[in-house]
Amino acid sequence: MADVAADVIVVGAGVTGCAVAAALADGRRRILVLEARKGHKPRFAGEYIHPPGTQVLDNLGFLPALRARGGIDVDGFAVVKQQPLPPTLLPYREIPGGRPTGFAMEHRELVEGMRAEIVRRPGVELRLGHRVEEILRDGSGRACGVRTEHGPLRAPLVLGCDGRHSKVRPLLGLPEQARLVSFTVAVHLPEAAALLPHRGFGHIFLGAWGPILMYPVSARDVRGCFDVSADLSGGPAGAARHIRDDYAGYLPPPLRAALLAALERERPQIAANESIRTDRSVAPGAAIVGDAGGCSHPLTATGMTIGFLDAERLGRLLAPLPNLTDARAVDEALRRYEVERYRFVRAREILADALYEVFRAADPGTRAIRQGIFRYWQAGEGARARSMALLSGAESRLGVFLREYMSVVGRSAGSALLGVEDGLPRRLTVPERGAALLGLGRKVWEKSRLVLRDVRQEALR
Ligand SMILES: Cc1cc2nc3c(=O)[nH]c(=O)nc-3n(C[C@H](O)[C@H](O)[C@H](O)COP(=O)(O)OP(=O)(O)OC[C@H]3O[C@@H](n4cnc5c(N)ncnc54)[C@H](O)[C@@H]3O)c2cc1C
């Protein structure tokens, strides 16, 4: 190929594209990163990174520069069932053998910081304002480059890191199932880090229609994320009203005051929470990476950890190849990438759905599970550590998820039989206890079926 532009074309310079470029930049390869946007549109997206994702950022050498831009270590989660009850603490340091901290910073700063870093890596070139419109194919149908409005660019490997609404995914013929779950209304709370009941922890406040997540994005500032129904109307002004009227009351008074002041000053940002599932991530000469390969409701904050681990995996699997023109060797590495990524991702998807259901607690079964999960966490450090290992991605075996789910359901059944429920000053009536137990049975059946489906599918891959 006389007009080869690079060894690898990375489509998209979001967090995943930057991590991929860094993971592949070994001095031998020329890596061309194409980013559609010229600048960075202020758009709310992920900011909280679990320890396994943070470890990749560290391994790839990003952390010092990101810390210099204001990013900070975070210690885990504090879940507040109901005001004024004290939070249940779920610290990362309880996970045996794991990194004790995650990392958080404003999304825009994170992307800018990672872009500034990759252009210093050997062999990496970043072109802004280059939107990929087409995948080029050779005579055998193999991907061999891309076309942007500036013309064709050839490379033996194309990696689509172009986000959840990926253009590369359909161009490669990789199907998806997408569903809108809800919206996030995001508010920036300056100088509110000291108001969090447990400084350095991400806080989940329950009780409103959907969970409220609040975490530090720097040593001083906090981000508030409010999960609201998919039929939210009225744009940012309507969202601000909704948060003021229907969510602020579930926060401790100092945070509530900071939120109300922030809503007076600026309009919140709104982002769709989608669930996008894919079953295939590779095609000859190409792969999709990070959100392009699917995403879940952001409550579990695992999107970036998935993207970073994908990047590290690709770096490791492609490292032994002397060059990327050996099509058979490249495709074998990509096949391995696909197997390993879905082993990790499937548990994330099921957990995100299950946890979101439990934190919303919209029916008798999930309300009973919510009751059970707090009893489970109170049972001791081991139970909390197992939950946090699953949540953070330190553990990704589906069998372990199912075992944990059953342990929680066992405690939930106990609460349902006793007739105890969050926020209710009275005991459940006999028909209400029956509805809770029936709901629990339905949930166990539903989750077992999903786990079996995924275990079978991944075993056959
Ligand atoms: C409300 C919300 C909250 C979240 N919170 C968290 C959290 O706390 N923790 C967490 O880990 N994750 C979180 N996530 C998920 C996280 O934002 C994503 O996992 C992450 O941004 C994915 O990064 P990415 O680089 O794969 O995709 P993106 O961030 O979408 O980046 C894709 C890039 O590709 C570019 N691009 C798109 N099309 C083209 C094209 N045709 N040609 C060239 N370039 C193109 C885009 O401009 C963009 O720069 C959240 C998501 C949402 C919606």
Side-chain angles (χ1 to χ4, degrees), residues 78 103 119 125 187 205-206 231 255 262 310 312 317 326 341 390 455:
F103 192 72
V119 295
E125 184 191 347
V187 185
F205 297 95
L206 304 179
D231 49 31
L255 272 179
D310 274 354
E312 188 172 67
L317 293 168
D326 180 346
R341 105 173 279 274
L390 276 166
V455 166

Side-chain angles (χ1 to χ4, degrees), residues 47-51 53-54 57 74 92 102-104 110 301 304-305 308:
E47 299 181 322
Y48 189 102
I49 305 167
H50 293 300
T54 307
L57 281 181
V74 283
Y92 289 129
F103 192 72
L110 179 60
M304 291 189 286
T305 293
F308 296 157

Side-chain angles (χ1 to χ4, degrees), residues 11-18 34-37 40 43-50 107 111 115 130-133 161-168 184 213 215 225 271-274 289-292 295-296 298-307:
V11 184
V15 291
T16 302
C18 292
L34 301 174
E35 166 54 44
R37 295 186 200 282
H40 193 100
R43 150 192 93 100
F44 177 69
E47 299 181 322
Y48 189 102
I49 305 167
H50 293 300
H107 187 80
V111 173
R115 285 182 184 172
H130 285 246
R131 180 177 295 279
V132 168
E133 292 166 347
C161 307
D162 51 344
R164 55 184 162 153
H165 300 130
S166 170
K167 174 99 177 165
V168 172
T184 290
L213 174 60
Y215 50 84
C225 298
N273 301 327
E274 291 172 287
V289 193
D291 268 23
C295 63
S296 302
L299 175 73
T300 45
T302 41
M304 291 189 286
T305 293
I306 290 175

